[in-house]
């Protein structure tokens, strides 16, 4: 997949960041969506809707989970096929993962945090087979710990 490096001034970035924060997406996703809306003639994967669904699904998870436990994340292949979207499932999942992680980092997903563990007295982020592990702090399983 081709990449583009874009340099913008600080004022424009701040404006984009405000809009992205309101929409609960990253600046990168905001820009990509705007470019796709304007110039793409093909059916696009709806990352904003998918992210909202993933956030909703993660609030129903008990304790720790990875994104592959969320139905929307699992169903990427099927959605791409059914809607004749010419994107690779891996690149869609990578972008969704970045968007979700950024939303968690910014506190947009209330009650959901990156799972951590202690190693030699230092807190480390938890991974399962190289996948980020999240924790629903509001679930019944988490509150029993």
């Amino acid at each position: 997949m081709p990449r583009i490096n874009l340099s913008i001034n600080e004022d424009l970035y701040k404006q984009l960041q405000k809009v992205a924060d309101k929409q609960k997406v990253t600046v990168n996703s905001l820009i990509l969506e705007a470019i796709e809306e304007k110039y793409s003639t093909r059916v696009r994967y709806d990352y904003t809707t998918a992210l909202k669904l993933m956030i909703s699904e993660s609030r129903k998870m008990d304790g720790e989970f990875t994104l592959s436990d969320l139905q929307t994340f699992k169903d990427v292949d099927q959605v791409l096929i059914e809607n004749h979207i010419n994107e690779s499932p891996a690149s869609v999942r990578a972008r969704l993962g970045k968007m979700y992680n950024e939303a968690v980092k910014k506190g947009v997903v209330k009650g959901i945090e990156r799972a951590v563990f202690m190693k030699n007295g230092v807190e480390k982020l938890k991974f399962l087979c190289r996948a980020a592990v999240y924790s629903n702090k509001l679930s019944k399983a988490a509150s029993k710990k």
Side-chain angles (χ1 to χ4, degrees):
M1 177 177 290
R3 291 184 170 266
I4 297 173
N5 292 322
L6 178 67
S7 298
I8 59 176
N9 68 42
E10 191 68 29
D11 290 338
L12 179 56
Y13 183 81
K14 286 178 183 176
Q15 288 179 299
L16 291 170
Q17 185 68 59
K18 283 181 188 175
V19 174
D21 287 347
K22 278 185 187 173
Q23 293 183 17
K24 300 177 181 168
V25 297
T26 63
V27 172
N28 191 58
S29 298
L30 179 76
I31 293 170
L32 181 61
E33 192 172 309
I35 291 170
E36 285 179 335
E37 272 182 34
K38 178 126 176 110
Y39 297 105
S40 183
T41 57
R42 62 185 173 84
V43 177
R44 304 180 338 256
Y45 186 84
D46 190 344
Y47 289 94
T48 304
T49 299
L51 179 62
K52 287 177 184 173
L53 287 169
M54 288 170 56
I55 289 170
S56 176
E57 292 165 3
S58 65
R59 289 185 172 133
K60 297 173 187 168
M61 298 300 293
D62 278 333
E64 294 182 348
F65 63 94
T66 64
L67 295 183
S68 62
D69 295 321
L70 303 177
Q71 196 62 49
T72 299
F73 199 79
K74 281 183 203 177
D75 290 346
V76 165
D77 300 62
Q78 184 179 341
V79 170
L80 295 175
I81 291 167
E82 287 175 1
N83 294 292
H84 308 287
I85 299 172
N86 191 20
E87 287 189 58
S88 85
S91 65
V92 170
R93 285 192 182 98
R95 190 178 313 164
L96 281 174
K98 288 177 185 176
M99 291 171 69
Y100 185 87
N101 195 50
E102 187 70 20
V104 168
K105 211 185 291 186
K106 289 184 174 185
V108 172
V109 191
K110 302 292 183 223
I112 306 295
E113 298 175 3
R114 280 295 309 272
V116 294
F117 68 98
M118 296 300 287
K119 182 175 181 180
N120 300 326
V122 178
E123 195 172 78
K124 301 273 189 180
L125 293 176
K126 198 171 190 179
F127 292 89
L128 179 63
C129 299
R130 296 182 6 185
V133 177
Y134 297 90
S135 178
N136 183 346
K137 299 296 183 182
L138 302 177
S139 74
K140 294 173 189 166
S143 59
K144 290 179 184 177
K145 289 183 180 178

